[in-house]
Amino acid sequence: VLSFSFQNGLKVMMRPSGTEAKIKFYFFHHEVEIVSSLNLEERKLKIISELSAFKGKFLSILKEISA
């Protein structure tokens, strides 16, 4: 298992599949600093947006280096 943690609270873990010839990726987000001006639903949407952008960039980089 490889795990990368970033200062902004984002984390990605990679591991080989146990039954198939592929790599599985897991993306996580941990709020480093809670923005008190946002309610819970707004914070969730903010995290989902940040995580989605991070996942897209990360997978794009993997495609570039594996080509």
Side-chain angles (χ1 to χ4, degrees):
V1 175
L2 291 175
S3 177
F4 299 95
S5 297
F6 302 90
Q7 290 179 348
N8 61 357
L10 295 167
K11 181 177 187 176
V12 62
M13 295 178 74
M14 299 172 278
R15 71 168 183 85
S17 172
T19 58
E20 302 172 287
K22 64 181 181 180
I23 297 172
K24 296 196 174 211
F25 294 89
Y26 301 89
F27 296 88
F28 303 91
H29 187 292
H30 172 74
E31 278 189 299
V32 176
E33 182 179 320
I34 296 175
V35 180
S36 61
S37 63
L38 301 176
N39 67 33
L40 182 59
E41 193 60 35
E42 291 170 328
R43 286 176 32 213
K44 285 181 183 179
L45 292 173
K46 179 179 177 286
I47 289 169
I48 290 169
S49 174
E50 290 174 0
L51 194 54
S52 179
F54 172 72
K55 180 179 175 182
K57 289 176 187 176
F58 184 86
L59 294 176
S60 175
I61 290 168
L62 284 183
K63 286 180 184 179
E64 284 182 31
I65 62 175
S66 66

